Amino acid sequence: MAFISDTLSRIQPSATIAATQKARDLKAQGRDVIGLGAGEPDFDTPDNIKDAAIEAIRRGETKYTAVDGIPELKQAICDKFKRENGLTYEPAQAFVAPGGKPILFNAMIATLNPGDEVIIPAPYWVSYPDIVALAGGTPVPVSATIENNFKLTAADLEAAITPKTKWLIFNSPSNPSGAAYSHDELKALTDVLVRHSHVWVLTDDMYEHLVYDDFEFVTPAQVEPKLYDRTLTMNGVSKAYAMTGWRIGYCAGPVELIKAMTKVQSQSTSNPTSISQWAAVEALNGTQDFIPERAAVFKERRDLVVSMLNQATGLKCPTPEGAFYVYPSCEGLIGKKTPDGKVIESDEDFAIALIEAEGVSVVHGAAFGLSPFFRISYATSTEALTEACERIQRFCGSLS
Ligand code: GLU
């Protein structure tokens, strides 16, 4: 339609949102669907956080707030970065938005000029390249291989940097692969960045608390203090505190960048919801005890899913360090036929045939920039996961 902008033709609807909605729709029609597409914890928001929100409503905290967040939350964010990441920020360096996506939007709109490049390791979260494109920049995907456990190498990062590179978007643990960089793996990348002083880092640390087997989470500005002045450290309450619907993302970075992002947000959403901000204050300042308890449950589910998928004909599933995703390869099934004669030519064909045959919803790898793979979110009950993996095994076994 001529009325719609050219920019919009360069982006796709979010594949993760689409898969989640499709599973919801099929269920509403009465189909027996197990949704492994949605990347959100199945746990509920803890009661102390809900209570803080209810109290905020009762106190009348129902009006506009400062565009970049209430002072109490900005202080809680600074305290969190100090306590958990050893990073010192002042409240003027902290910023709150209605979710992680608006943080990315604000940062990209505030900094990108046409032709500016943003390096995005693939597989990447579906929204990174499209947000860059919407902001007028050029996404530069750089593939990380399954052989390297889906982690970007220093040599590939170095080769991708040009005079036009403005940002590296870094995400560990990764959505969709679950791969997380150890201190030394990350240091290899920050060593490259130190040599290219025009490149900034936006680090999406959303899955920080979901790491397993004694893995130690690290973030770029912590590993390499020389990058502190050109790093935007982003996080949020969605995953760690099971608060996806509350829509609170936050970040901290250089004051000039934060001011520019505040300018953008003042012309778009204004402040994030006042009530959600008070809930986030409690999330960050209150008890953190349930986080390791929930992580232990996720670890068990990860082990179950990895083991069951590796028993499926034609699938290969590495064991990731974190998040609640696995990213198995379906290369061994490409070219095979379903019992009703459809040829699986791509990971998208695989995902479509799987939901049609067995009612299991996953997200195809092409959406994340690395094929032929698919993403499974194991943030669902052990019972549903076991059933879903049995169905996947049956589906793979039915291909010839
Ligand atoms: N981060 C989640 C996912 O990847 C939420 C959906 C989205 O915003 O993409 O599934």
Side-chain angles (χ1 to χ4, degrees):
M1 184 185 170
F3 189 63
I4 304 298
S5 75
D6 296 344
T7 307
L8 217 68
S9 67
R10 290 196 289 272
I11 69 159
Q12 298 294 323
S14 163
T16 49
I17 302 277
T20 310
Q21 189 58 42
K22 185 164 185 193
R24 222 181 261 140
D25 292 346
L26 288 172
K27 268 187 206 161
Q29 289 163 22
R31 274 213 48 198
D32 167 25
V33 170
I34 306 181
L36 306 182
E40 70 175 343
D42 54 320
F43 297 116
D44 198 2
T45 306
D47 282 342
N48 62 313
I49 299 174
K50 289 182 179 173
D51 290 345
I54 293 163
E55 278 161 30
I57 294 174
R58 296 232 158 89
R59 277 202 314 277
E61 307 279 6
T62 53
K63 303 283 196 275
Y64 293 132
T65 75
V67 164
D68 52 343
I70 55 176
E72 291 81 355
L73 182 51
K74 289 172 67 142
Q75 186 59 53
I77 291 164
C78 295
D79 294 346
K80 175 263 180 281
F81 280 131
K82 185 81 203 161
R83 179 177 75 233
E84 296 182 344
N85 310 107
L87 294 172
T88 306
Y89 291 110
E90 298 299 319
Q93 295 177 276
F95 178 88
V96 190
K101 277 172 172 161
I103 300 267
L104 285 153
F105 262 103
N106 289 326
M108 294 302 126
I109 287 170
T111 57
L112 295 182
N113 292 311
D116 284 347
E117 296 174 0
V118 178
I119 296 175
I120 306 174
Y124 46 70
W125 178 43
V126 291
S127 295
Y128 295 147
D130 287 358
I131 290 174
V132 168
L134 281 173
T138 305
V140 178
V142 182
S143 292
T145 60
I146 188 170
E147 290 75 26
N148 203 39
N149 293 316
F150 303 116
K151 292 177 202 175
L152 183 65
T153 65
D156 287 343
L157 173 60
E158 182 87 55
I161 294 173
T162 75
K164 290 187 161 177
T165 307
K166 203 135 193 185
W167 290 97
L168 162 70
I169 298 184
F170 179 75
N171 174 219
S172 166
S174 151
N175 176 0
S177 71
Y181 291 67
S182 67
H183 179 279
D184 291 356
E185 287 165 342
L186 181 50
K187 183 74 169 57
L189 299 185
T190 58
D191 283 352
V192 173
L193 295 169
V194 166
R195 291 198 292 278
H196 298 274
S197 57
H198 65 294
V199 182
W200 284 54
V201 189
L202 192 163
T203 177
D204 175 351
D205 298 348
M206 204 57 88
Y207 296 90
E208 165 179 14
H209 289 295
L210 302 178
V211 290
Y212 316 116
D213 304 323
D214 300 324
F215 180 89
E216 269 192 44
F217 170 85
V218 279
T219 189
Q222 174 189 22
V223 165
E224 182 46 86
K226 287 186 194 131
L227 293 179
Y228 176 85
D229 290 331
R230 49 187 168 107
T231 298
L232 186 66
T233 304
M234 170 184 139
N235 213 311
V237 294
S238 290
K239 306 299 180 337
Y241 303 96
M243 291 176 69
T244 47
W246 300 74
R247 311 309 302 133
I248 293 290
Y250 62 84
C251 62
V255 171
E256 288 310 308
L257 174 61
I258 297 300
K259 278 190 189 157
M261 290 170 65
T262 306
K263 191 168 167 185
V264 177
Q265 188 153 286
S266 78
Q267 295 291 21
S268 55
T269 56
S270 294
N271 62 277
T273 307
S274 56
I275 300 147
S276 295
Q277 290 190 67
W278 283 103
V281 170
E282 174 62 21
L284 295 180
N285 288 348
T287 176
Q288 308 290 307
D289 290 353
F290 59 89
I291 293 179
E293 287 162 18
R294 290 180 173 189
V297 176
F298 281 131
K299 181 204 142 37
E300 271 174 31
R301 293 175 182 172
R302 177 202 65 174
D303 293 342
L304 170 83
V305 168
V306 168
S307 148
M308 288 188 77
L309 292 179
N310 278 322
Q311 289 164 42
T313 315
L315 298 185
K316 194 164 120 195
C317 185
T319 304
E321 294 89 348
F324 39 61
Y325 305 111
V326 290
Y327 201 61
S329 163
C330 55
E331 195 173 9
L333 300 174
I334 301 298
K336 298 212 167 184
K337 267 194 198 148
T338 61
D340 55 359
K342 281 193 214 100
V343 181
I344 307 282
E345 282 171 358
S346 63
D347 50 32
E348 187 163 14
D349 287 348
F350 172 84
I352 292 169
L354 176 63
I355 195 164
E356 280 172 4
E358 292 286 354
V360 177
S361 149
V362 300
V363 186
H364 62 286
F368 303 102
L370 195 74
S371 289
F373 295 89
F374 61 99
R375 185 189 83 172
I376 279 184
S377 161
Y378 55 82
T380 194
S381 75
T382 305
E383 199 186 8
L385 282 173
T386 309
E387 168 70 20
C389 290
E390 279 167 9
R391 292 187 193 187
I392 292 172
Q393 288 175 349
R394 190 162 62 213
F395 173 71
C396 295
S398 76
L399 303 176
S400 53

